[in-house]
Amino acid sequence: MPKPNSIRVAQLLLVFKLAMFAFILAVSLLLLVVPDGAWSGWTDYKTRTLHSMFGIAPEEYEAKHFWLVAVNLAPLLLALVLTLVSIAKKKRMLSILLALLVFWLSSSNPVQLLLSLVIVVLLLLRSSRLYFEGDQSASPAAAAPVEAGGRAAEGAEDAKTREPEEAGSQDEPPETRQAADSERKPKADPAIEIRDAGPEDAQALHAVTLAAFEEYRAAVPPSSALEETESQIREALAEQREFAGILYEDGNPVGAVRYRFEDHAIVFFRLAVVPSRRKRGYARKLVEWVELKGRTKGVGISRCKVRQSIHKKMFLFENMGYEIADQELAIRPAGTVKFFTLEKNLEPK
């Protein structure tokens, strides 16, 4: 998953600080073991360094001074390494705490203190928070269903994803079980194809959508996608009030998206990938397919809506170049939900 610039800069600063303090440790050792006159200018350099770095005369510098430096730098070096590791493992709170520790240990040097403060600020930025919270489920392939264009964005606040074997429970409609079960054992290199869907594909669209949105049934309010019927989808496609695409994996429908054209924008919604087929890049493929449809029609904007609470899903669209254009509060009988309108410019730059 691509890293935001805030994470990249924070890591670069941490590596820079680590290299700087490691250099100081190495120099303090060389000053102890390399004899005077080892090469031209070494004696003068040693004299200047000992005075500027340690404030002592060369003849006073002994092994105990090196170990004093090593003991003083060891906690900072360890904190820097642990901070880098925690960022790599996407441990947000641990990374922030370690960065604060680095800040405190750097208090003796104004420049190092400033660098440490910058690192802490970078880790607190929204883009960094989305990166930490995103993890694998925030990758393009793991995108959850999204709804846009006239309806509140559907999703749930970190709702628990069903295991693949639960997709075929007896409590689900037969078409939902079919969508989830038909592709339970894909090939190592499956054939992927996205096709335009017509009224005759309403059953497959409905089945994929239900399978994908089922995990959001417990959301407050629940997704309106769960209330939609196959006949409603068929009617909308037949009247061309909306259009759709279905992603097939080895001939099995495992993903879907619907869209319509509004003014100079293509608005997509009901972006769905069945749970057992996520983390494969299918959501990104569907969004890119919609964007291509928009460019073909000459529209300049691609638009969708996402619940504000779904931070992991927001990261997908921000990675694809979408920006927040508006926010809205939708009041429903089952609850109130706030969602963002995201837009991307499709015009060539």
Side-chain angles (χ1 to χ4, degrees), residues 120-280:
V120 173
V121 172
L122 288 171
L123 294 179
L124 291 174
L125 292 179
R126 180 172 178 272
S127 57
S128 297
R129 175 169 57 81
L130 292 176
Y131 171 77
F132 283 117
E133 293 179 350
D135 201 10
Q136 294 299 323
S137 59
S139 63
V146 177
E147 179 178 334
R151 298 177 184 266
E154 297 304 335
E157 195 168 354
D158 300 327
K160 183 178 179 182
T161 304
R162 295 173 300 143
E163 295 296 330
E165 60 269 17
E166 294 176 350
S169 67
Q170 296 300 316
D171 294 332
E172 298 177 2
E175 61 270 23
T176 305
R177 295 200 303 271
Q178 179 183 2
D181 293 343
S182 60
E183 26 66 41
R184 191 164 289 173
K185 295 180 180 179
K187 298 177 181 178
D189 187 18
I192 307 302
E193 180 185 11
I194 301 178
R195 307 175 196 165
D196 289 298
E200 67 279 5
D201 299 304
Q203 180 180 2
L205 280 169
H206 186 239
V208 170
T209 303
L210 281 183
F213 279 84
E214 179 62 31
E215 59 181 305
Y216 301 105
R217 190 177 293 277
V220 180
S223 170
S224 60
L226 299 170
E227 302 173 0
E228 216 172 25
T229 65
E230 181 182 327
S231 61
Q232 288 174 330
I233 298 175
R234 182 179 293 106
E235 181 180 348
L237 294 173
E239 296 176 358
Q240 294 191 343
R241 288 185 281 110
E242 61 185 49
F243 306 90
I246 300 178
L247 185 146
Y248 291 87
E249 182 189 72
D250 287 335
N252 297 310
V254 298
V257 64
R258 285 149 62 189
Y259 64 94
R260 57 174 167 262
F261 296 97
E262 295 180 359
D263 298 327
H264 299 291
I266 183 169
V267 181
F268 66 91
F269 55 103
R270 300 292 197 243
L271 175 63
V273 177
V274 297
S276 61
R277 289 298 168 266
R278 293 176 185 167
K279 302 183 182 180
R280 297 167 186 264

Side-chain angles (χ1 to χ4, degrees), residues 329-340:
L329 189 65
I331 301 176
R332 301 178 182 177
T336 302
V337 59
K338 185 176 183 179
F339 59 93
F340 289 126

Side-chain angles (χ1 to χ4, degrees), residues 13-314:
L13 291 177
L14 285 166
V15 171
F16 175 74
K17 286 172 64 66
L18 183 62
M20 182 176 294
F21 287 113
F23 174 76
I24 293 175
L25 188 63
V27 168
S28 63
L29 179 61
L30 288 174
L31 293 172
L32 181 67
V33 300
V34 177
D36 293 338
W39 60 80
S40 178
W42 171 246
T43 302
D44 291 339
Y45 176 78
K46 180 177 180 180
T47 301
R48 293 194 305 270
T49 303
L50 285 172
H51 183 268
S52 61
M53 187 178 296
F54 306 113
I56 59 177
E59 59 272 13
E60 297 176 353
Y61 187 68
E62 301 174 357
K64 64 181 180 180
H65 296 108
F66 166 75
W67 290 112
L68 183 61
V69 173
V71 169
N72 287 331
L73 291 182
L76 182 55
L77 291 171
L78 180 59
L80 288 168
V81 172
L82 291 177
T83 305
L84 285 168
V85 172
S86 63
I87 292 176
K89 292 183 175 294
K90 299 183 180 179
K91 305 295 185 181
R92 181 170 180 256
M93 290 308 301
L94 180 59
S95 298
I96 294 174
L97 291 174
L98 287 170
L100 289 171
L101 177 61
V102 170
F103 175 78
W104 180 69
L105 292 173
S106 304
S107 58
S108 59
N109 186 299
V111 176
Q112 292 294 331
L113 188 66
L114 179 60
L115 291 177
S116 301
L117 178 61
V118 172
I119 292 171
V120 173
V121 172
L122 288 171
L123 294 179
L124 291 174
L125 292 179
R126 180 172 178 272
S127 57
S128 297
R129 175 169 57 81
L130 292 176
Y131 171 77
F132 283 117
E133 293 179 350
D135 201 10
Q136 294 299 323
S137 59
S139 63
V146 177
E147 179 178 334
R151 298 177 184 266
E154 297 304 335
E157 195 168 354
D158 300 327
K160 183 178 179 182
T161 304
R162 295 173 300 143
E163 295 296 330
E165 60 269 17
E166 294 176 350
S169 67
Q170 296 300 316
D171 294 332
E172 298 177 2
E175 61 270 23
T176 305
R177 295 200 303 271
Q178 179 183 2
D181 293 343
S182 60
E183 26 66 41
R184 191 164 289 173
K185 295 180 180 179
K187 298 177 181 178
D189 187 18
I192 307 302
E193 180 185 11
I194 301 178
R195 307 175 196 165
D196 289 298
E200 67 279 5
D201 299 304
Q203 180 180 2
L205 280 169
H206 186 239
V208 170
T209 303
L210 281 183
F213 279 84
E214 179 62 31
E215 59 181 305
Y216 301 105
R217 190 177 293 277
V220 180
S223 170
S224 60
L226 299 170
E227 302 173 0
E228 216 172 25
T229 65
E230 181 182 327
S231 61
Q232 288 174 330
I233 298 175
R234 182 179 293 106
E235 181 180 348
L237 294 173
E239 296 176 358
Q240 294 191 343
R241 288 185 281 110
E242 61 185 49
F243 306 90
I246 300 178
L247 185 146
Y248 291 87
E249 182 189 72
D250 287 335
N252 297 310
V254 298
V257 64
R258 285 149 62 189
Y259 64 94
R260 57 174 167 262
F261 296 97
E262 295 180 359
D263 298 327
H264 299 291
I266 183 169
V267 181
F268 66 91
F269 55 103
R270 300 292 197 243
L271 175 63
V273 177
V274 297
S276 61
R277 289 298 168 266
R278 293 176 185 167
K279 302 183 182 180
R280 297 167 186 264
Y282 294 166
R284 178 180 286 268
K285 290 180 183 294
L286 286 164
V287 174
E288 291 173 344
W289 182 83
V290 167
E291 293 174 356
L292 181 60
K293 289 288 184 181
R295 292 189 178 95
T296 302
K297 289 290 185 178
V299 302
I301 295 175
S302 176
R303 181 183 301 138
C304 69
K305 291 184 181 179
V306 185
R307 289 197 185 198
Q308 181 190 29
S309 58
I310 314 179
H311 305 302
K312 298 179 181 180
K313 320 315 170 191
M314 287 282 295

